[in-house]
Amino acid sequence: AETINAETTSEVCPVDAKKELLEECNNIWKELEECQSKLMLLGIETLLQSDTKLALLMLQWKALTVDYQEWHERSPETISTNPELLLELGKEELQKVKNDLENVLSAVCSKNKKLEEDLEREQQWCEEQEQMLNALNRIEEETKPQVEQLYKARGLEELHNKMLKLKTYKRELLSALGEFLDEHFPLPQDSRSAIKRNFSPEPAVELLPLQDILEILINKLMATPHEPYVTINESFWPPYIELLLRFGMALRHPEDPNRMRLEAFHK
């Protein structure tokens, strides 16, 4: 008998195990339905006509509360005690878990592969950017002297243009000043004749025009601003000197009346 039982037990297949488990579940469900119907019948027999619906609901609530307390207090029990059935069920659950884990592993591997590809592309892009940056830095270093020379050349050219403009403007001013002075402050008619003091036999002295006197005073003031005084000699016509002093264009030296300077109008 033991041999026959062992052979019968060893021949249990997963299909038979599922059938047996379903039959046990159906039996338990039927027992629950019978208990529920009995409770309903017991409640209906004691009901009054006035509060039938309320009492029915209260009975259902009490039955569910008792059922909840029992299921909360009791420890879970295995549906079946057949070891072969439990073994097959465990194998099936483990197989499901294995399949789920394999799917998760496949998904993780696929994601890791995609991340590796993205990382490789980013690294390649980073290397390209670094190469480009190095090339730009090299070009900048190579062209920096040329740019500096270009800036210097441009600066010198601009400065040269400004100097040319200033020289042109200076010539125009001097020309306009000369025309004005020649028209309004001409030299005396006998400026080239001999000017003799007390009829001395000294040679004649050529008088300077007012424009030349002003240029001498201006050049002296610009060249040596710390010592702007010019010595008055015989070529300076006295009326011109008096004119410059009276109109405040020139000043005498406070200690030497034979020296004069141009007023510093630019300060």
Side-chain angles (χ1 to χ4, degrees), residues 78-91:
T78 56
I79 297 175
S80 176
T81 58
N82 189 344
E84 296 295 333
L85 178 61
L86 296 176
L87 180 61
E88 292 299 330
L89 292 174
K91 288 180 179 180

Side-chain angles (χ1 to χ4, degrees), residues 175-231:
S175 177
L177 178 63
E179 293 177 359
F180 177 81
L181 294 177
D182 290 341
E183 181 180 357
H184 297 282
F185 301 98
L187 284 171
Q189 295 297 328
D190 298 334
S191 61
R192 297 184 180 273
S193 60
I195 300 176
K196 301 179 180 179
R197 294 182 179 179
N198 298 326
F199 301 98
S200 62
E202 295 180 0
V205 177
E206 185 178 358
L207 299 177
L208 294 176
L210 182 58
Q211 180 180 359
D212 294 345
I213 297 174
L214 289 174
E215 288 184 5
I216 292 172
L217 293 174
I218 292 172
N219 293 332
K220 183 65 175 177
L221 179 64
M222 294 293 103
T224 57
H226 58 284
E227 185 60 35
Y229 290 95
V230 175
T231 302

Side-chain angles (χ1 to χ4, degrees), residues 227 229 245 251-261:
E227 185 60 35
Y229 290 95
L245 293 174
L251 299 174
R252 287 188 184 274
H253 195 283
E255 297 178 359
D256 188 359
N258 293 324
R259 298 175 66 190
M260 61 182 294
R261 55 165 290 181

Side-chain angles (χ1 to χ4, degrees), residues 7 22 41 57 64 69 71 81 90 128 139 145 151 211 231 233 240 245 255 258:
E7 292 177 357
L22 289 174
L41 291 174
L57 292 175
L64 291 174
Q69 291 293 336
W71 280 101
T81 58
E128 292 176 356
I139 293 173
Y151 282 151
Q211 180 180 359
T231 302
N233 54 35
Y240 285 163
L245 293 174
E255 297 178 359
N258 293 324

Side-chain angles (χ1 to χ4, degrees), residues 161-177:
N161 293 332
K162 290 181 179 179
M163 290 178 63
L164 291 177
K165 291 180 181 179
L166 289 175
K167 288 181 179 180
T168 303
Y169 184 62
K170 178 183 177 181
R171 286 197 298 269
E172 293 176 354
L173 287 178
L174 291 177
S175 177
L177 178 63

